[in-house]
mmCIF file of all heavy atoms in Angstrom:
data_model
loop_
_atom_site.group_PDB
_atom_site.id
_atom_site.type_symbol
_atom_site.label_atom_id
_atom_site.label_comp_id
_atom_site.label_asym_id
_atom_site.label_seq_id
_atom_site.Cartn_x
_atom_site.Cartn_y
_atom_site.Cartn_z
ATOM 1 N N GLY A 1 3.185 9.715 10.131
ATOM 2 C CA GLY A 1 3.208 10.584 8.963
ATOM 3 C C GLY A 1 3.632 9.908 7.677
ATOM 4 O O GLY A 1 3.894 10.570 6.673
ATOM 5 N N TRP A 2 3.682 8.582 7.679
ATOM 6 C CA TRP A 2 4.099 7.857 6.472
ATOM 7 C C TRP A 2 2.965 7.783 5.453
ATOM 8 O O TRP A 2 3.222 7.685 4.256
ATOM 9 C CB TRP A 2 4.560 6.449 6.840
ATOM 10 C CG TRP A 2 5.780 6.425 7.713
ATOM 11 C CD1 TRP A 2 6.466 7.510 8.200
ATOM 12 C CD2 TRP A 2 6.453 5.275 8.224
ATOM 13 N NE1 TRP A 2 7.514 7.102 8.990
ATOM 14 C CE2 TRP A 2 7.532 5.733 9.022
ATOM 15 C CE3 TRP A 2 6.246 3.909 8.101
ATOM 16 C CZ2 TRP A 2 8.406 4.874 9.669
ATOM 17 C CZ3 TRP A 2 7.112 3.037 8.748
ATOM 18 C CH2 TRP A 2 8.182 3.514 9.525
ATOM 19 N N VAL A 3 1.739 7.797 5.933
ATOM 20 C CA VAL A 3 0.552 7.822 5.073
ATOM 21 C C VAL A 3 -0.424 8.822 5.682
ATOM 22 O O VAL A 3 -0.365 9.104 6.884
ATOM 23 C CB VAL A 3 -0.116 6.426 4.965
ATOM 24 C CG1 VAL A 3 0.745 5.452 4.192
ATOM 25 C CG2 VAL A 3 -0.455 5.886 6.349
ATOM 26 N N PRO A 4 -1.348 9.381 4.870
ATOM 27 C CA PRO A 4 -2.334 10.324 5.415
ATOM 28 C C PRO A 4 -3.268 9.648 6.407
ATOM 29 O O PRO A 4 -3.613 8.486 6.256
ATOM 30 C CB PRO A 4 -3.102 10.796 4.171
ATOM 31 C CG PRO A 4 -2.188 10.508 3.017
ATOM 32 C CD PRO A 4 -1.442 9.269 3.395
ATOM 33 N N LYS A 5 -3.694 10.402 7.414
ATOM 34 C CA LYS A 5 -4.643 9.871 8.378
ATOM 35 C C LYS A 5 -6.027 9.785 7.750
ATOM 36 O O LYS A 5 -6.470 10.709 7.071
ATOM 37 C CB LYS A 5 -4.699 10.762 9.617
ATOM 38 C CG LYS A 5 -3.428 10.748 10.446
ATOM 39 C CD LYS A 5 -3.567 11.636 11.678
ATOM 40 C CE LYS A 5 -2.282 11.603 12.511
ATOM 41 N NZ LYS A 5 -2.392 12.477 13.707
ATOM 42 N N THR A 6 -6.703 8.674 7.946
ATOM 43 C CA THR A 6 -8.068 8.493 7.459
ATOM 44 C C THR A 6 -8.677 7.274 8.131
ATOM 45 O O THR A 6 -7.967 6.352 8.531
ATOM 46 C CB THR A 6 -8.118 8.312 5.924
ATOM 47 O OG1 THR A 6 -9.475 8.164 5.517
ATOM 48 C CG2 THR A 6 -7.335 7.073 5.490
ATOM 49 N N SER A 7 -9.988 7.287 8.257
ATOM 50 C CA SER A 7 -10.700 6.124 8.790
ATOM 51 C C SER A 7 -11.471 5.420 7.684
ATOM 52 O O SER A 7 -12.093 4.384 7.921
ATOM 53 C CB SER A 7 -11.660 6.555 9.904
ATOM 54 O OG SER A 7 -12.595 7.507 9.415
ATOM 55 N N ASN A 8 -11.419 5.982 6.469
ATOM 56 C CA ASN A 8 -12.134 5.405 5.337
ATOM 57 C C ASN A 8 -11.350 4.237 4.752
ATOM 58 O O ASN A 8 -10.164 4.379 4.418
ATOM 59 C CB ASN A 8 -12.361 6.484 4.276
ATOM 60 C CG ASN A 8 -13.131 5.963 3.082
ATOM 61 O OD1 ASN A 8 -12.550 5.375 2.176
ATOM 62 N ND2 ASN A 8 -14.427 6.176 3.078
ATOM 63 N N ALA A 9 -12.002 3.086 4.603
ATOM 64 C CA ALA A 9 -11.313 1.870 4.161
ATOM 65 C C ALA A 9 -10.726 2.023 2.758
ATOM 66 O O ALA A 9 -9.590 1.597 2.498
ATOM 67 C CB ALA A 9 -12.272 0.683 4.201
ATOM 68 N N GLU A 10 -11.488 2.629 1.846
ATOM 69 C CA GLU A 10 -10.998 2.789 0.470
ATOM 70 C C GLU A 10 -9.832 3.767 0.414
ATOM 71 O O GLU A 10 -8.871 3.561 -0.339
ATOM 72 C CB GLU A 10 -12.135 3.251 -0.437
ATOM 73 C CG GLU A 10 -13.195 2.190 -0.679
ATOM 74 C CD GLU A 10 -14.231 2.623 -1.694
ATOM 75 O OE1 GLU A 10 -14.151 3.784 -2.169
ATOM 76 O OE2 GLU A 10 -15.114 1.807 -2.023
ATOM 77 N N GLU A 11 -9.899 4.829 1.196
ATOM 78 C CA GLU A 11 -8.799 5.788 1.223
ATOM 79 C C GLU A 11 -7.531 5.147 1.787
ATOM 80 O O GLU A 11 -6.423 5.428 1.312
ATOM 81 C CB GLU A 11 -9.186 7.013 2.049
ATOM 82 C CG GLU A 11 -10.219 7.905 1.380
ATOM 83 C CD GLU A 11 -10.568 9.116 2.222
ATOM 84 O OE1 GLU A 11 -9.966 9.293 3.298
ATOM 85 O OE2 GLU A 11 -11.450 9.889 1.802
ATOM 86 N N LYS A 12 -7.690 4.292 2.773
ATOM 87 C CA LYS A 12 -6.534 3.568 3.302
ATOM 88 C C LYS A 12 -5.889 2.730 2.208
ATOM 89 O O LYS A 12 -4.654 2.713 2.063
ATOM 90 C CB LYS A 12 -6.950 2.658 4.470
ATOM 91 C CG LYS A 12 -7.288 3.395 5.743
ATOM 92 C CD LYS A 12 -7.676 2.397 6.836
ATOM 93 C CE LYS A 12 -8.025 3.112 8.126
ATOM 94 N NZ LYS A 12 -8.410 2.155 9.205
ATOM 95 N N ALA A 13 -6.716 2.025 1.448
ATOM 96 C CA ALA A 13 -6.200 1.178 0.374
ATOM 97 C C ALA A 13 -5.468 2.011 -0.671
ATOM 98 O O ALA A 13 -4.371 1.660 -1.116
ATOM 99 C CB ALA A 13 -7.336 0.395 -0.273
ATOM 100 N N LEU A 14 -6.056 3.146 -1.063
ATOM 101 C CA LEU A 14 -5.426 4.021 -2.058
ATOM 102 C C LEU A 14 -4.116 4.598 -1.534
ATOM 103 O O LEU A 14 -3.117 4.669 -2.266
ATOM 104 C CB LEU A 14 -6.386 5.158 -2.430
ATOM 105 C CG LEU A 14 -7.610 4.759 -3.263
ATOM 106 C CD1 LEU A 14 -8.579 5.928 -3.359
ATOM 107 C CD2 LEU A 14 -7.182 4.309 -4.659
ATOM 108 N N ASN A 15 -4.092 4.985 -0.268
ATOM 109 C CA ASN A 15 -2.876 5.543 0.315
ATOM 110 C C ASN A 15 -1.770 4.506 0.419
ATOM 111 O O ASN A 15 -0.588 4.810 0.202
ATOM 112 C CB ASN A 15 -3.176 6.125 1.699
ATOM 113 C CG ASN A 15 -4.062 7.353 1.640
ATOM 114 O OD1 ASN A 15 -4.106 8.048 0.621
ATOM 115 N ND2 ASN A 15 -4.785 7.629 2.707
ATOM 116 N N LEU A 16 -2.153 3.265 0.721
ATOM 117 C CA LEU A 16 -1.162 2.197 0.785
ATOM 118 C C LEU A 16 -0.638 1.849 -0.605
ATOM 119 O O LEU A 16 0.533 1.509 -0.768
ATOM 120 C CB LEU A 16 -1.756 0.953 1.459
ATOM 121 C CG LEU A 16 -1.904 1.038 2.981
ATOM 122 C CD1 LEU A 16 -2.676 -0.154 3.515
ATOM 123 C CD2 LEU A 16 -0.541 1.146 3.658
ATOM 124 N N ARG A 17 -1.490 1.923 -1.612
ATOM 125 C CA ARG A 17 -1.021 1.729 -2.988
ATOM 126 C C ARG A 17 0.075 2.743 -3.317
ATOM 127 O O ARG A 17 1.116 2.397 -3.887
ATOM 128 C CB ARG A 17 -2.166 1.906 -3.973
ATOM 129 C CG ARG A 17 -3.160 0.761 -4.084
ATOM 130 C CD ARG A 17 -4.214 1.110 -5.119
ATOM 131 N NE ARG A 17 -5.268 0.106 -5.244
ATOM 132 C CZ ARG A 17 -6.291 0.215 -6.084
ATOM 133 N NH1 ARG A 17 -6.398 1.291 -6.859
ATOM 134 N NH2 ARG A 17 -7.205 -0.726 -6.154
ATOM 135 N N ARG A 18 -0.179 4.001 -2.976
ATOM 136 C CA ARG A 18 0.805 5.050 -3.270
ATOM 137 C C ARG A 18 2.076 4.835 -2.453
ATOM 138 O O ARG A 18 3.184 5.037 -2.956
ATOM 139 C CB ARG A 18 0.207 6.420 -2.973
ATOM 140 C CG ARG A 18 -1.001 6.765 -3.852
ATOM 141 C CD ARG A 18 -1.483 8.184 -3.619
ATOM 142 N NE ARG A 18 -2.741 8.417 -4.315
ATOM 143 C CZ ARG A 18 -3.925 8.454 -3.723
ATOM 144 N NH1 ARG A 18 -4.024 8.257 -2.412
ATOM 145 N NH2 ARG A 18 -5.021 8.684 -4.436
ATOM 146 N N PHE A 19 1.919 4.450 -1.195
ATOM 147 C CA PHE A 19 3.080 4.236 -0.332
ATOM 148 C C PHE A 19 3.960 3.112 -0.869
ATOM 149 O O PHE A 19 5.188 3.241 -0.941
ATOM 150 C CB PHE A 19 2.609 3.907 1.089
ATOM 151 C CG PHE A 19 3.725 3.573 2.044
ATOM 152 C CD1 PHE A 19 4.525 4.565 2.574
ATOM 153 C CD2 PHE A 19 3.972 2.254 2.403
ATOM 154 C CE1 PHE A 19 5.560 4.262 3.450
ATOM 155 C CE2 PHE A 19 4.996 1.936 3.277
ATOM 156 C CZ PHE A 19 5.796 2.946 3.801
ATOM 157 N N PHE A 20 3.316 2.009 -1.277
ATOM 158 C CA PHE A 20 4.067 0.861 -1.783
ATOM 159 C C PHE A 20 4.382 0.969 -3.277
ATOM 160 O O PHE A 20 5.088 0.120 -3.819
ATOM 161 C CB PHE A 20 3.291 -0.436 -1.534
ATOM 162 C CG PHE A 20 3.365 -0.926 -0.118
ATOM 163 C CD1 PHE A 20 2.259 -0.849 0.715
ATOM 164 C CD2 PHE A 20 4.537 -1.459 0.387
ATOM 165 C CE1 PHE A 20 2.321 -1.302 2.020
ATOM 166 C CE2 PHE A 20 4.615 -1.916 1.693
ATOM 167 C CZ PHE A 20 3.499 -1.838 2.511
ATOM 168 N N GLU A 21 3.825 1.982 -3.928
ATOM 169 C CA GLU A 21 4.088 2.230 -5.351
ATOM 170 C C GLU A 21 3.632 1.056 -6.219
ATOM 171 O O GLU A 21 4.354 0.550 -7.060
ATOM 172 C CB GLU A 21 5.579 2.541 -5.568
ATOM 173 C CG GLU A 21 6.050 3.737 -4.762
ATOM 174 C CD GLU A 21 7.557 3.862 -4.677
ATOM 175 O OE1 GLU A 21 8.227 2.832 -4.430
ATOM 176 O OE2 GLU A 21 8.074 4.976 -4.844
ATOM 177 N N VAL A 22 2.395 0.636 -5.964
ATOM 178 C CA VAL A 22 1.791 -0.455 -6.728
ATOM 179 C C VAL A 22 0.394 -0.037 -7.172
ATOM 180 O O VAL A 22 -0.236 0.831 -6.564
ATOM 181 C CB VAL A 22 1.705 -1.764 -5.904
ATOM 182 C CG1 VAL A 22 3.091 -2.289 -5.579
ATOM 183 C CG2 VAL A 22 0.892 -1.550 -4.623
ATOM 184 N N SER A 23 -0.113 -0.676 -8.235
ATOM 185 C CA SER A 23 -1.446 -0.357 -8.731
ATOM 186 C C SER A 23 -2.527 -1.080 -7.944
ATOM 187 O O SER A 23 -3.684 -0.667 -7.942
ATOM 188 C CB SER A 23 -1.561 -0.722 -10.215
ATOM 189 O OG SER A 23 -1.311 -2.103 -10.411
ATOM 190 N N LYS A 24 -2.156 -2.177 -7.278
ATOM 191 C CA LYS A 24 -3.081 -2.888 -6.403
ATOM 192 C C LYS A 24 -2.274 -3.632 -5.351
ATOM 193 O O LYS A 24 -1.136 -4.051 -5.598
ATOM 194 C CB LYS A 24 -3.975 -3.844 -7.191
ATOM 195 C CG LYS A 24 -3.249 -4.799 -8.114
ATOM 196 C CD LYS A 24 -4.248 -5.634 -8.910
ATOM 197 C CE LYS A 24 -3.523 -6.638 -9.808
ATOM 198 N NZ LYS A 24 -4.478 -7.508 -10.524
ATOM 199 N N LEU A 25 -2.847 -3.791 -4.182
ATOM 200 C CA LEU A 25 -2.084 -4.290 -3.040
ATOM 201 C C LEU A 25 -1.735 -5.765 -3.131
ATOM 202 O O LEU A 25 -0.739 -6.197 -2.545
ATOM 203 C CB LEU A 25 -2.849 -4.025 -1.736
ATOM 204 C CG LEU A 25 -3.000 -2.550 -1.349
ATOM 205 C CD1 LEU A 25 -3.743 -2.423 -0.027
ATOM 206 C CD2 LEU A 25 -1.634 -1.861 -1.253
ATOM 207 N N ASP A 26 -2.524 -6.566 -3.854
ATOM 208 C CA ASP A 26 -2.178 -7.991 -3.919
ATOM 209 C C ASP A 26 -0.913 -8.231 -4.740
ATOM 210 O O ASP A 26 -0.345 -9.325 -4.707
ATOM 211 C CB ASP A 26 -3.347 -8.845 -4.424
ATOM 212 C CG ASP A 26 -3.897 -8.388 -5.764
ATOM 213 O OD1 ASP A 26 -3.273 -7.523 -6.402
ATOM 214 O OD2 ASP A 26 -4.962 -8.903 -6.159
ATOM 215 N N ILE A 27 -0.455 -7.205 -5.451
ATOM 216 C CA ILE A 27 0.819 -7.312 -6.172
ATOM 217 C C ILE A 27 1.971 -7.471 -5.193
ATOM 218 O O ILE A 27 3.010 -8.053 -5.515
ATOM 219 C CB ILE A 27 1.047 -6.069 -7.058
ATOM 220 C CG1 ILE A 27 0.080 -6.090 -8.252
ATOM 221 C CG2 ILE A 27 2.485 -5.981 -7.565
ATOM 222 C CD1 ILE A 27 0.166 -4.856 -9.133
ATOM 223 N N LEU A 28 1.807 -6.980 -3.969
ATOM 224 C CA LEU A 28 2.879 -7.037 -2.977
ATOM 225 C C LEU A 28 3.346 -8.463 -2.728
ATOM 226 O O LEU A 28 4.502 -8.691 -2.361
ATOM 227 C CB LEU A 28 2.416 -6.410 -1.658
ATOM 228 C CG LEU A 28 2.173 -4.901 -1.683
ATOM 229 C CD1 LEU A 28 1.579 -4.438 -0.372
ATOM 230 C CD2 LEU A 28 3.477 -4.170 -1.964
ATOM 231 N N GLU A 29 2.460 -9.420 -2.912
ATOM 232 C CA GLU A 29 2.836 -10.828 -2.720
ATOM 233 C C GLU A 29 3.960 -11.218 -3.670
ATOM 234 O O GLU A 29 4.815 -12.041 -3.336
ATOM 235 C CB GLU A 29 1.612 -11.721 -2.943
ATOM 236 C CG GLU A 29 1.845 -13.189 -2.644
ATOM 237 C CD GLU A 29 2.107 -13.465 -1.180
ATOM 238 O OE1 GLU A 29 1.669 -12.658 -0.335
ATOM 239 O OE2 GLU A 29 2.746 -14.481 -0.870
ATOM 240 N N ASP A 30 3.980 -10.607 -4.864
ATOM 241 C CA ASP A 30 5.014 -10.906 -5.852
ATOM 242 C C ASP A 30 6.206 -9.978 -5.742
ATOM 243 O O ASP A 30 7.194 -10.126 -6.461
ATOM 244 C CB ASP A 30 4.436 -10.793 -7.272
ATOM 245 C CG ASP A 30 3.300 -11.783 -7.507
ATOM 246 O OD1 ASP A 30 3.405 -12.915 -7.003
ATOM 247 O OD2 ASP A 30 2.318 -11.403 -8.177
ATOM 248 N N LEU A 31 6.114 -8.992 -4.851
ATOM 249 C CA LEU A 31 7.191 -8.008 -4.712
ATOM 250 C C LEU A 31 7.887 -8.112 -3.367
ATOM 251 O O LEU A 31 8.537 -7.179 -2.931
ATOM 252 C CB LEU A 31 6.638 -6.586 -4.887
ATOM 253 C CG LEU A 31 6.159 -6.211 -6.288
ATOM 254 C CD1 LEU A 31 5.598 -4.795 -6.280
ATOM 255 C CD2 LEU A 31 7.286 -6.311 -7.308
ATOM 256 N N LYS A 32 7.739 -9.255 -2.696
ATOM 257 C CA LYS A 32 8.424 -9.425 -1.421
ATOM 258 C C LYS A 32 9.919 -9.228 -1.607
ATOM 259 O O LYS A 32 10.509 -9.728 -2.551
ATOM 260 C CB LYS A 32 8.153 -10.820 -0.849
ATOM 261 C CG LYS A 32 6.746 -10.988 -0.288
ATOM 262 C CD LYS A 32 6.567 -12.364 0.309
ATOM 263 C CE LYS A 32 5.186 -12.530 0.910
ATOM 264 N NZ LYS A 32 4.975 -13.887 1.465
ATOM 265 N N THR A 33 10.514 -8.481 -0.684
ATOM 266 C CA THR A 33 11.937 -8.220 -0.780
ATOM 267 C C THR A 33 12.707 -9.508 -0.568
ATOM 268 O O THR A 33 12.667 -10.089 0.520
ATOM 269 C CB THR A 33 12.373 -7.179 0.267
ATOM 270 O OG1 THR A 33 11.595 -5.996 0.100
ATOM 271 C CG2 THR A 33 13.853 -6.855 0.111
ATOM 272 N N PRO A 34 13.418 -10.010 -1.588
ATOM 273 C CA PRO A 34 14.145 -11.274 -1.424
ATOM 274 C C PRO A 34 15.335 -11.113 -0.496
ATOM 275 O O PRO A 34 15.996 -10.075 -0.486
ATOM 276 C CB PRO A 34 14.605 -11.605 -2.851
ATOM 277 C CG PRO A 34 14.679 -10.277 -3.531
ATOM 278 C CD PRO A 34 13.581 -9.444 -2.927
ATOM 279 N N GLY A 35 15.584 -12.135 0.302
ATOM 280 C CA GLY A 35 16.772 -12.139 1.136
ATOM 281 C C GLY A 35 16.732 -11.193 2.303
ATOM 282 O O GLY A 35 17.762 -10.933 2.922
ATOM 283 N N ILE A 36 15.565 -10.647 2.648
ATOM 284 C CA ILE A 36 15.518 -9.679 3.728
ATOM 285 C C ILE A 36 15.925 -10.356 5.039
ATOM 286 O O ILE A 36 15.468 -11.444 5.369
ATOM 287 C CB ILE A 36 14.129 -9.030 3.847
ATOM 288 C CG1 ILE A 36 14.184 -7.838 4.800
ATOM 289 C CG2 ILE A 36 13.072 -10.023 4.288
ATOM 290 C CD1 ILE A 36 12.980 -6.937 4.712
#
């Protein structure tokens, strides 16, 4: 229940953007949690 269920690739990408609170997923590379 952390993200909506879907089999659509684009919807998965959009849902992950919202989950991670980013405008695009490749930004996550620069947002790695330091010291984890």
Side-chain angles (χ1 to χ4, degrees):
W2 296 1
V3 291
K5 292 181 179 179
T6 181
S7 59
N8 181 276
E10 290 186 357
E11 289 181 3
K12 288 180 180 180
L14 289 171
N15 292 336
L16 285 172
R17 284 181 184 180
R18 297 185 188 104
F19 176 76
F20 283 108
E21 302 166 315
V22 295
S23 59
K24 52 184 182 177
L25 293 181
D26 55 10
I27 289 176
L28 292 174
E29 186 66 25
D30 299 322
L31 291 178
K32 286 182 178 178
T33 304
I36 191 165

